[in-house]
Amino acid sequence: MPADPVDDLLRRLAPQVLGALVRRYGHFDTAEDATQEALLAAATRWPADGRPDDPKAWLITVASRRLTDLLRAEQARRRREDTVARRLPPDRWLAPAADTAPADADDTLILLFLCCHPSLLPAGQIALTLRAIGGLSTAEVARAFLVPEATMTRRITRAKQRIRDSGLPFAPPAGAERAVRLDAVLHVLYLIFNEGYASTSGPRLDRADLCAEAIRLARMLHESTDDPEVAGLLALMLLTDARTPARTGADGELVPMAEQDRRRWRGEQIAEGVALVSHALPRGAVGPYQLQAAVAALHDEAPSIGATDWPQIVALYELLLEVADNPVVRLNHAVAVAMARGPHAGLELLAGLAADRRLAQDARLPAARAHLLELAGEPEAARQAYLAAARRSMNLPQQRYLHSRAARLR
């Protein structure tokens, strides 16, 4: 059996298996270890022995056995039912079997809200969820946060310990508690989608599985709430993902938006995203996801890069800076200013980001600077900036694209 289909299936099933174990047994940190060992066993055995009839049940069985072994080895013999019994009425003492999904919720979504519990610091909420739900490595999570890998390892470890020590029930939050967790959940889904759309490392430009999972979870949230920011995030994902078919060439090379065949963009997703953001924007306070979705809609509805309404995009980014100021938003704003007012105006704004340590190892800043220098008619400076961006990038298609741009300017 080819390795890729197995890898894709395991990545999709991982949060469901972890959710089943946590729901049945508790012990979040140990359950994650057991899930990872079950996934490793599957990745080793399934290609040789064949995929089982029920892959999810197979994984849950193996992970449950391994979880039991781990708990015994750690002398953690308290059963989850004893802990739950101290908090819940007697009619809720018995938990369903690990491979039996609750009737009213998806385990993955419940797990998502568990990881975003207020007892965790925001950075820990997001980091833990990216590991548990998104399947990202610690290094990938660290790059998403623009922090060193060692720092992220400590954050994830602390978050697991808090979940373990809290005795939280595995159940969906309700009322005010749900609202408190929603901001962190949206941020998590946003980062998972971004990692899927533009992978920080590896041989592929994107990871369609992560994009699909983020969109699936965003849809579930949208169906359960009328929050306009949830609609905005779903719209942003759909409008951005709609461009995927045109982002790579025949040999897997990166194709920048200015050179993409827009006829290959997914029209149904664009229409759905535009409808979502158009409905959300007039409904009160406008948040960052709605604003980013509005920017994406302007890109997707434009027939060409030259026909894009850049002044309106600049205005939207300036609103976004008021509600969610960060270096990546400032970088995007600078590029939009360059397209609306000329490359030198954008370069001046980018110069102010050069000292921001959060972008010290990020390829986006020198790549944007290279593009604007090229537009400004400074080929040698642009070439050096492209090479600097290539040195920072850990994604092979991005590296090849940046090197090819530099080679054209020799």
Side-chain angles (χ1 to χ4, degrees), residues 82-361:
D82 294 334
T83 302
V84 174
R86 291 194 292 270
R87 296 192 305 269
L88 301 179
D91 63 347
R92 293 185 60 191
W93 282 3
L94 295 179
D99 58 353
T100 301
D104 59 348
D106 180 281
D107 270 347
T108 305
L109 193 56
I110 299 176
L111 185 63
L112 180 62
F113 274 99
L114 178 66
C115 291
C116 296
H117 193 273
S119 67
L120 304 180
L121 296 174
Q125 294 172 336
I126 297 166
L128 182 59
T129 307
L130 287 171
R131 283 281 289 121
I133 306 292
L136 275 65
S137 69
T138 302
E140 289 169 331
V141 180
R143 286 182 63 82
F145 273 91
L146 305 176
V147 299
E149 184 175 352
T151 300
M152 188 53 60
T153 299
R154 291 192 293 270
R155 287 184 187 177
I156 292 173
T157 300
R158 287 195 296 267
K160 287 182 181 180
Q161 290 171 344
R162 282 180 176 267
I163 290 287
R164 180 194 65 198
D165 297 341
S166 68
L168 295 169
F170 190 80
E177 184 183 3
R178 180 183 177 91
V180 168
R181 296 196 215 175
L182 187 58
D183 285 346
V185 168
L186 292 178
H187 193 181
V188 165
L189 295 182
Y190 177 73
L191 289 178
I192 292 175
F193 178 84
N194 284 347
E195 179 60 32
Y197 190 72
S199 298
T200 55
S201 62
R204 296 184 297 179
L205 179 65
D206 54 31
R207 294 173 60 176
D209 59 311
L210 291 184
C211 288
E213 181 66 3
I215 291 173
R216 184 183 77 86
L217 292 171
R219 283 194 187 280
M220 292 177 64
L221 279 178
H222 181 56
E223 291 168 0
S224 66
T225 179
D226 61 355
D227 189 294
E229 274 291 82
V230 176
L233 179 60
L234 177 57
L236 174 61
M237 291 179 180
L238 292 170
L239 291 163
T240 305
D241 185 61
R243 307 172 200 142
T244 297
R247 291 182 70 225
T248 53
D251 296 324
E253 71 276 14
L254 186 154
V255 180
M257 184 183 292
E259 300 172 17
Q260 289 175 16
D261 181 356
R262 299 184 177 217
R263 294 170 299 180
R264 298 181 61 197
W265 290 359
R266 297 172 180 140
E268 290 185 3
Q269 282 188 216
I270 293 173
E272 183 182 2
V274 169
L276 282 166
V277 71
S278 298
H279 178 68
L281 283 172
R283 294 169 54 202
V286 176
Y289 300 115
Q290 296 168 72
L291 290 170
Q292 291 178 77
V295 169
L298 288 171
H299 281 301
D300 285 10
E301 293 184 310
S304 68
I305 197 75
T308 303
D309 190 345
W310 290 108
Q312 189 173 351
I313 289 177
V314 169
L316 287 169
Y317 272 124
E318 288 172 351
L319 288 174
L320 186 56
L321 285 170
E322 294 180 8
V323 298
D325 189 356
N326 66 63
V328 175
V329 173
R330 288 191 171 275
L331 187 152
N332 291 332
H333 171 251
V335 173
V337 167
M339 300 302 292
R341 304 171 191 166
H344 291 291
L347 286 166
E348 184 177 346
L349 293 173
L350 287 182
L353 291 172
D356 195 315
R357 290 183 295 177
R358 291 171 292 180
L359 292 176
Q361 300 302 318

